[in-house]
Amino acid sequence: MLQILTPTKSTGRTVWPPVASPPHYPIIMLITGGYQVDLGPRSTPRFHLVLKNHTCNCGATNCRGKHAVKVYLKAGGKPAPDGSALKYTTRPCPICNDHTRAVDGRWECLSNSTHYFQYRVTRLRAAREKWLMSLSPDVAAYHAEVLTAFVSAEARTTFLAEHPLTYAAGA
Ligand SMILES: [Zn+2]
Ligand SMILES: [Zn+2]
């Protein structure tokens, strides 16, 4: 079914999922043995994994994540449960091999949140390649030619010459 999008406000960007109010940063999540800190989209690095021994995975000497945890604890925030079994919820980032965390049913790279999407795009491209490979040689060649037809005008002319129109031009 065709979905018709009727934006109520023209803000120029779509926010998904829709949120009633923007979250307050920093967000501090407790994990066994430490704190997962989200300083918000304007901070670089945005995510910090601050352990209970006051080290952070970002390696910065003046880490703002550690500072955020300090402020949080001073304000009476609940300390993270003890334990050395600090476990990352998912495997390392397939792009940069850094740690990832689970978010909204997917993973997110702690050093660069766009890595997930890069990975997905690469996967989709690979799936497309695989699909092209699975086609019969004739069909695959046709798709390859159609693709190049949009790449250069010269290739397009060649393609059109080899695949003449079956109807009279201008008819
Ligand atoms: Zn840090
Ligand atoms: Zn990454």
Side-chain angles (χ1 to χ4, degrees):
M1 203 172 93
L2 186 70
Q3 199 185 350
I4 298 159
L5 298 169
T6 48
T8 48
K9 263 188 284 176
S10 182
T11 55
R13 56 194 283 256
T14 316
V15 178
W16 188 262
V19 281
S21 60
H24 287 286
Y25 295 109
I27 293 169
I28 298 185
M29 282 174 283
L30 305 187
I31 43 179
T32 304
Y35 307 85
Q36 175 71 70
V37 183
D38 181 354
L39 293 178
R42 285 182 199 158
S43 301
T44 320
R46 175 174 175 174
F47 298 101
H48 298 257
L49 192 65
V50 182
L51 302 187
K52 291 195 89 176
N53 64 7
H54 304 291
T55 58
C56 178
N57 72 330
C58 77
T61 47
N62 203 3
C63 167
R64 291 178 54 214
K66 278 196 276 186
H67 179 73
V69 169
K70 209 180 272 176
V71 170
Y72 160 84
L73 290 173
K74 228 174 201 172
K78 199 171 158 244
D82 280 314
S84 56
L86 183 68
K87 284 204 174 76
Y88 302 101
T89 42
T90 47
R91 61 218 162 87
C93 172
I95 306 276
C96 72
N97 211 37
D98 198 352
H99 299 304
T100 60
R101 61 168 193 156
V103 54
D104 298 334
R106 62 174 177 90
W107 57 266
E108 182 175 76
C109 176
L110 292 185
S111 51
N112 189 329
S113 59
T114 68
H115 282 175
Y116 170 79
F117 300 101
Q118 278 182 38
Y119 172 73
R120 287 297 301 272
V121 167
T122 309
R123 284 287 299 262
L124 284 173
R125 288 207 179 116
R128 189 176 178 282
E129 289 284 293
K130 208 175 159 193
W131 172 70
L132 284 173
M133 297 289 282
S134 74
L135 299 172
S136 72
D138 273 5
V139 180
Y142 174 79
H143 279 279
E145 282 187 79
V146 168
L147 201 67
T148 54
F150 294 100
V151 172
S152 78
E154 203 183 318
R156 187 170 183 276
T157 310
T158 312
F159 174 79
L160 288 175
E162 286 171 8
H163 300 83
L165 300 174
T166 51
Y167 55 89

Short mmCIF file of all heavy atoms in Angstrom, two decimals, residues 124-148:
data_model
loop_
_atom_site.label_atom_id
_atom_site.label_comp_id
_atom_site.label_asym_id
_atom_site.label_seq_id
_atom_site.Cartn_x
_atom_site.Cartn_y
_atom_site.Cartn_z
N LEU A 124 24.08 -5.04 2.64
CA LEU A 124 23.07 -4.98 1.58
C LEU A 124 23.73 -5.07 0.21
O LEU A 124 23.25 -5.76 -0.68
CB LEU A 124 22.26 -3.69 1.69
CG LEU A 124 21.21 -3.65 2.81
CD1 LEU A 124 20.60 -2.27 2.93
CD2 LEU A 124 20.12 -4.69 2.55
N ARG A 125 24.86 -4.36 0.05
CA ARG A 125 25.58 -4.40 -1.22
C ARG A 125 26.06 -5.82 -1.50
O ARG A 125 25.97 -6.30 -2.62
CB ARG A 125 26.79 -3.45 -1.16
CG ARG A 125 26.37 -2.01 -1.20
CD ARG A 125 27.46 -1.13 -1.78
NE ARG A 125 27.01 0.25 -1.81
CZ ARG A 125 27.57 1.23 -1.13
NH1 ARG A 125 28.63 0.99 -0.39
NH2 ARG A 125 27.09 2.45 -1.21
N ALA A 126 26.57 -6.47 -0.44
CA ALA A 126 27.06 -7.84 -0.60
C ALA A 126 25.91 -8.77 -0.98
O ALA A 126 26.06 -9.64 -1.84
CB ALA A 126 27.71 -8.30 0.70
N ALA A 127 24.75 -8.54 -0.36
CA ALA A 127 23.59 -9.38 -0.66
C ALA A 127 23.16 -9.18 -2.11
O ALA A 127 22.77 -10.14 -2.79
CB ALA A 127 22.44 -9.02 0.28
N ARG A 128 23.28 -7.95 -2.59
CA ARG A 128 22.90 -7.66 -3.97
C ARG A 128 23.85 -8.35 -4.95
O ARG A 128 23.43 -8.93 -5.95
CB ARG A 128 22.93 -6.14 -4.19
CG ARG A 128 22.34 -5.75 -5.52
CD ARG A 128 22.29 -4.25 -5.70
NE ARG A 128 21.76 -3.94 -7.00
CZ ARG A 128 22.46 -4.01 -8.13
NH1 ARG A 128 23.73 -4.37 -8.08
NH2 ARG A 128 21.92 -3.73 -9.28
N GLU A 129 25.16 -8.28 -4.61
CA GLU A 129 26.17 -8.96 -5.43
C GLU A 129 25.86 -10.45 -5.53
O GLU A 129 25.91 -11.04 -6.60
CB GLU A 129 27.56 -8.79 -4.79
CG GLU A 129 28.12 -7.40 -4.88
CD GLU A 129 28.64 -7.07 -6.28
OE1 GLU A 129 29.64 -7.68 -6.68
OE2 GLU A 129 28.02 -6.23 -6.95
N LYS A 130 25.53 -11.01 -4.37
CA LYS A 130 25.24 -12.43 -4.29
C LYS A 130 24.03 -12.77 -5.16
O LYS A 130 24.00 -13.77 -5.86
CB LYS A 130 24.97 -12.80 -2.83
CG LYS A 130 25.32 -14.23 -2.48
CD LYS A 130 25.12 -14.46 -1.01
CE LYS A 130 24.97 -15.95 -0.73
NZ LYS A 130 24.47 -16.20 0.61
N TRP A 131 23.04 -11.89 -5.09
CA TRP A 131 21.82 -12.07 -5.88
C TRP A 131 22.16 -12.02 -7.37
O TRP A 131 21.70 -12.86 -8.15
CB TRP A 131 20.81 -10.99 -5.51
CG TRP A 131 19.61 -10.97 -6.38
CD1 TRP A 131 18.61 -11.89 -6.42
CD2 TRP A 131 19.29 -9.99 -7.38
NE1 TRP A 131 17.68 -11.54 -7.37
CE2 TRP A 131 18.07 -10.39 -7.97
CE3 TRP A 131 19.91 -8.83 -7.82
CZ2 TRP A 131 17.47 -9.64 -9.00
CZ3 TRP A 131 19.32 -8.09 -8.82
CH2 TRP A 131 18.11 -8.50 -9.41
N LEU A 132 22.99 -11.07 -7.76
CA LEU A 132 23.39 -10.96 -9.17
C LEU A 132 24.13 -12.21 -9.62
O LEU A 132 23.95 -12.69 -10.74
CB LEU A 132 24.27 -9.72 -9.37
CG LEU A 132 23.52 -8.38 -9.38
CD1 LEU A 132 24.52 -7.22 -9.43
CD2 LEU A 132 22.57 -8.29 -10.57
N MET A 133 24.97 -12.76 -8.70
CA MET A 133 25.74 -13.95 -9.03
C MET A 133 24.82 -15.16 -9.21
O MET A 133 25.15 -16.08 -9.95
CB MET A 133 26.74 -14.28 -7.90
CG MET A 133 27.79 -13.21 -7.67
SD MET A 133 29.02 -13.10 -8.96
CE MET A 133 30.04 -14.52 -8.54
N SER A 134 23.68 -15.12 -8.51
CA SER A 134 22.78 -16.27 -8.55
C SER A 134 21.93 -16.29 -9.82
O SER A 134 21.27 -17.28 -10.12
CB SER A 134 21.88 -16.26 -7.31
OG SER A 134 20.90 -15.25 -7.44
N LEU A 135 21.94 -15.17 -10.55
CA LEU A 135 21.13 -15.10 -11.76
C LEU A 135 21.77 -15.90 -12.88
O LEU A 135 22.96 -16.19 -12.85
CB LEU A 135 20.98 -13.64 -12.19
CG LEU A 135 20.31 -12.69 -11.20
CD1 LEU A 135 20.42 -11.27 -11.70
CD2 LEU A 135 18.86 -13.07 -11.00
N SER A 136 20.98 -16.23 -13.88
CA SER A 136 21.55 -16.91 -15.03
C SER A 136 22.49 -15.93 -15.74
O SER A 136 22.31 -14.72 -15.64
CB SER A 136 20.43 -17.33 -15.98
OG SER A 136 19.89 -16.20 -16.62
N PRO A 137 23.52 -16.45 -16.43
CA PRO A 137 24.52 -15.55 -17.03
C PRO A 137 23.89 -14.44 -17.88
O PRO A 137 24.32 -13.29 -17.81
CB PRO A 137 25.37 -16.49 -17.88
CG PRO A 137 25.21 -17.82 -17.24
CD PRO A 137 23.83 -17.84 -16.65
N ASP A 138 22.87 -14.77 -18.65
CA ASP A 138 22.21 -13.79 -19.52
C ASP A 138 21.60 -12.64 -18.71
O ASP A 138 21.80 -11.47 -19.01
CB ASP A 138 21.10 -14.46 -20.33
CG ASP A 138 21.65 -15.06 -21.62
OD1 ASP A 138 22.89 -15.00 -21.79
OD2 ASP A 138 20.84 -15.56 -22.42
N VAL A 139 20.85 -13.03 -17.68
CA VAL A 139 20.18 -12.03 -16.85
C VAL A 139 21.19 -11.18 -16.10
O VAL A 139 21.06 -9.96 -16.00
CB VAL A 139 19.19 -12.72 -15.87
CG1 VAL A 139 18.48 -11.69 -15.01
CG2 VAL A 139 18.18 -13.55 -16.64
N ALA A 140 22.24 -11.83 -15.58
CA ALA A 140 23.28 -11.12 -14.85
C ALA A 140 23.98 -10.10 -15.75
O ALA A 140 24.21 -8.96 -15.35
CB ALA A 140 24.30 -12.11 -14.28
N ALA A 141 24.28 -10.52 -16.97
CA ALA A 141 24.93 -9.63 -17.93
C ALA A 141 24.03 -8.44 -18.24
O ALA A 141 24.49 -7.30 -18.34
CB ALA A 141 25.27 -10.39 -19.21
N TYR A 142 22.75 -8.72 -18.36
CA TYR A 142 21.79 -7.66 -18.63
C TYR A 142 21.80 -6.62 -17.50
O TYR A 142 21.89 -5.42 -17.75
CB TYR A 142 20.39 -8.25 -18.80
CG TYR A 142 19.31 -7.19 -18.94
CD1 TYR A 142 19.11 -6.54 -20.16
CD2 TYR A 142 18.52 -6.83 -17.86
CE1 TYR A 142 18.14 -5.56 -20.28
CE2 TYR A 142 17.56 -5.85 -17.97
CZ TYR A 142 17.36 -5.21 -19.19
OH TYR A 142 16.41 -4.24 -19.31
N HIS A 143 21.76 -7.11 -16.25
CA HIS A 143 21.76 -6.19 -15.11
C HIS A 143 23.04 -5.39 -15.05
O HIS A 143 23.03 -4.19 -14.76
CB HIS A 143 21.56 -6.96 -13.80
CG HIS A 143 20.12 -7.28 -13.53
ND1 HIS A 143 19.27 -6.36 -13.00
CD2 HIS A 143 19.40 -8.41 -13.76
CE1 HIS A 143 18.06 -6.90 -12.90
NE2 HIS A 143 18.11 -8.15 -13.35
N ALA A 144 24.16 -6.04 -15.34
CA ALA A 144 25.45 -5.35 -15.34
C ALA A 144 25.46 -4.25 -16.39
O ALA A 144 25.95 -3.15 -16.16
CB ALA A 144 26.58 -6.36 -15.59
N GLU A 145 24.88 -4.56 -17.55
CA GLU A 145 24.85 -3.57 -18.62
C GLU A 145 23.93 -2.41 -18.29
O GLU A 145 24.24 -1.26 -18.57
CB GLU A 145 24.41 -4.24 -19.93
CG GLU A 145 25.54 -5.03 -20.58
CD GLU A 145 25.14 -5.54 -21.95
OE1 GLU A 145 25.18 -4.74 -22.89
OE2 GLU A 145 24.77 -6.71 -22.03
N VAL A 146 22.79 -2.72 -17.69
CA VAL A 146 21.87 -1.67 -17.29
C VAL A 146 22.55 -0.73 -16.30
O VAL A 146 22.46 0.49 -16.40
CB VAL A 146 20.58 -2.27 -16.67
CG1 VAL A 146 19.75 -1.18 -15.98
CG2 VAL A 146 19.75 -2.95 -17.74
N LEU A 147 23.31 -1.34 -15.39
CA LEU A 147 24.02 -0.56 -14.37
C LEU A 147 25.02 0.39 -15.02
O LEU A 147 25.06 1.58 -14.72
CB LEU A 147 24.72 -1.51 -13.41
CG LEU A 147 25.06 -0.93 -12.04
CD1 LEU A 147 23.80 -0.63 -11.25
CD2 LEU A 147 25.93 -1.91 -11.27
N THR A 148 25.82 -0.13 -15.95
CA THR A 148 26.83 0.72 -16.59
C THR A 148 26.17 1.76 -17.49
O THR A 148 26.73 2.82 -17.71
CB THR A 148 27.83 -0.11 -17.42
OG1 THR A 148 27.09 -0.92 -18.34
CG2 THR A 148 28.73 -0.96 -16.56
#
